[in-house]
Amino acid sequence: MIIDIVVITFVVMGLVLFSVGTLGILRLPDAYTRMHAAGKLDTLGSICLLFGLALWQGRHFDLAHLIVAAKILLILVFVSFASPTATHDMVDAGMRAGIIPWRKGDKRR
């Protein structure tokens, strides 16, 4: 019963973070701030969601469910390294391409 509440909490937190990240992508003024929202909130949302799913699989204590939980945790580790790195590389590519960051008072791009 308690594990169910913990799983639901992590899954709902993940979905809320994804929703806020999506709102940031839609509302923020330029590519850099949009990538910032996507990089931070989608990564944290993925971590929360995957951790909740791993807990859900781990509550059945047999080999098949534990293997699935371990695979989900490996995906979680990969996402936690790959997503911020990819976001950083996209921002770096934008800077090298000469895309000027938005400043307060500028028109939305």
Side-chain angles (χ1 to χ4, degrees):
M1 180 68 181
I2 292 176
I3 194 75
D4 293 340
I5 294 170
V6 172
V7 167
I8 290 170
T9 302
F10 273 103
V11 170
V12 168
M13 279 179 17
L15 292 175
V16 167
L17 289 169
F18 272 125
S19 298
V20 173
T22 303
L23 185 66
I25 290 170
L26 294 174
R27 295 285 302 160
L28 291 174
D30 72 337
Y32 297 115
T33 54
R34 290 179 193 139
M35 281 190 268
H36 180 77
K40 301 285 184 188
L41 294 172
D42 285 355
T43 302
L44 192 56
S46 298
I47 289 172
C48 287
L49 194 62
L50 289 171
F51 187 71
L53 292 176
L55 281 178
W56 181 257
Q57 286 296 318
R59 73 185 179 108
H60 303 289
F61 207 70
D62 61 353
L63 184 61
H65 286 94
L66 290 179
I67 288 174
V68 171
K71 287 179 182 178
I72 292 172
L73 290 175
L74 286 175
I75 293 170
L76 186 151
V77 170
F78 176 75
V79 167
S80 67
F81 285 114
S83 182
T85 305
T87 303
H88 174 77
D89 284 345
M90 286 188 284
V91 170
D92 189 43
M95 293 297 283
R96 289 175 193 250
I99 298 173
I100 300 169
W102 176 82
R103 297 190 191 279
K104 189 173 182 178
D106 288 352
K107 189 175 181 179
R108 183 184 163 124
R109 290 178 247 168

